[in-house]
Amino acid sequence: MKLLRYGPEGQEKPGLLDDAGAIRDLSGHVADIADDVLTPDGLARLAALDVDSLPVVDGSPRLGACVGNVRKFVAIGLNYADHAAESGMPVPSEPVVFNKWTSCIVGPNDDVVIPKGSTKTDWEVELGIVIGKPARSVSQAEALEHVAGYCVVNDVSEREWQLERGVSWDKGKGFDTFGPIGPWMVTRDEVPDPRNLGMWLEVDGKRYQDGSTKTMIFGVEELVAYCSKLMTLMPGDVITTGTPPGVGMGQDPKVFLKGGEVIRLGIDGLGEQTQKVRKA
């Protein structure tokens, strides 16, 4: 299934993308794509619905973040060896874990807003993992049982705040609008090999990132198991798993967003995002 949320900001309704590409309204069955709806039992109930009987949503409504009530937005840094190299940093021996504040989460096609005074706002296409079953100190062998599905994430980053103003990456990663998620969450059964997904990102039509999850250092099982030792992962929590090379910081000369650009990004089978960039 491809599950989504649509409608004005703060008033999103739950929906499902059918095989013809139409949005079907799920609000007669669930209140949101969140919490217990993302558990194995919750997803099984949605999978049992007759899709053709669900109301079709007219037009092209705004899409919100594909998951609601995200408690934790956990991010993994330097998880692609070639991106670590372009960043001038060593390949990590364990996952580099930081936070993106949940207040940064926006819809997949909402504007990205450059913070006041920023001169180093950057982009990162990433595979997002959506947790569906509480996970506390789980093994790698158990980890996938706790995954509801996957989505596209743009891990927008302000490099000065991330790297030059103290040692906390969190500061540069959680500005408002820095977490576009979606367009939909694709359930785990439809992504048999999350380590074999092409991923790309363009700015104003120029392709900067063109990679694959094949080159991740730590895979989905490893990351879920590792993070579950640091915290209890809950349904709706999102782990964004790192980016391939091609970020603005890695260009020669460096390229950062100034406002007015259009970012397009996508991952095979998980859909695409488009964001206009504007100054605060």
Side-chain angles (χ1 to χ4, degrees):
M1 292 181 292
K2 295 179 174 65
L3 301 175
L4 54 86
R5 301 166 70 248
Y6 69 94
E9 184 176 357
Q11 303 175 45
E12 291 90 350
K13 294 181 178 181
L16 177 152
L17 192 75
D18 69 18
D19 291 341
I23 296 175
R24 300 282 183 153
D25 180 28
L26 286 172
S27 56
H29 299 272
V30 294
D32 201 356
I33 306 300
D35 304 320
D36 289 348
V37 173
L38 295 164
T39 64
D41 287 346
L43 293 177
R45 285 191 289 270
L46 291 183
L49 295 174
D50 177 9
V51 173
D52 292 337
S53 70
L54 299 171
V56 175
V57 178
D58 294 329
S60 300
R62 169 191 172 270
L63 296 180
C66 57
V67 181
N69 195 31
V70 179
R71 296 174 177 86
K72 292 185 288 296
F73 193 2
V74 182
I76 307 299
L78 304 176
N79 196 31
Y80 289 68
D82 35 13
H83 172 58
E86 75 170 350
S87 302
M89 299 180 184
V91 173
S93 58
E94 293 191 28
V96 175
V97 180
F98 60 92
N99 287 296
K100 289 178 75 73
W101 317 126
T102 56
S103 55
C104 81
I105 294 173
V106 291
N109 304 318
D110 290 344
D111 290 353
V112 166
V113 180
I114 297 175
K116 289 182 179 180
S118 167
T119 59
K120 297 182 179 180
T121 297
D122 204 347
W123 58 81
E124 296 188 8
V125 58
E126 303 200 1
L127 171 69
I129 304 167
V130 180
I131 299 299
K133 178 181 174 183
R136 182 186 298 112
S137 294
V138 302
S139 68
Q140 290 186 33
E142 302 169 303
L144 287 184
E145 299 172 11
H146 297 263
V147 174
Y150 305 95
C151 63
V152 181
V153 176
N154 188 355
D155 176 19
V156 186
S157 308
E158 210 296 328
R159 301 302 188 186
E160 180 184 4
W161 280 98
Q162 177 191 355
L163 300 170
E164 301 172 27
R165 304 185 66 156
V167 294
S168 172
W169 282 24
D170 299 356
K171 291 188 292 187
K173 294 285 192 169
F175 286 98
D176 290 354
T177 75
F178 273 27
I181 296 178
W184 31 76
M185 184 198 80
V186 181
T187 50
R188 177 166 53 93
D189 59 296
E190 294 191 7
V191 187
D193 187 0
R195 292 203 73 160
N196 188 25
L197 302 174
M199 54 203 309
W200 55 271
L201 183 145
E202 299 174 350
V203 180
D204 288 340
K206 179 177 178 179
R207 184 156 294 197
Y208 283 94
Q209 294 189 271
D210 197 355
S212 169
T213 57
K214 287 180 181 179
T215 63
M216 284 197 299
I217 299 166
F218 305 105
V220 171
E221 297 94 333
E222 294 168 284
L223 293 175
V224 171
Y226 188 89
C227 290
S228 77
K229 292 174 172 57
L230 307 177
M231 67 199 83
T232 299
L233 298 169
M234 298 298 293
D237 287 351
V238 176
I239 303 172
T240 189
T241 59
T243 198
V247 300
M249 182 178 65
Q251 306 302 307
D252 185 15
K254 298 180 190 302
V255 177
F256 294 114
L257 299 167
K258 302 183 184 331
E261 300 93 344
V262 174
I263 305 172
R264 291 184 61 242
L265 60 148
I267 298 178
D268 290 351
L270 303 184
E272 299 182 9
Q273 302 181 355
T274 301
Q275 295 117 23
K276 295 180 180 178
V277 182
R278 60 180 175 88
K279 294 181 179 179

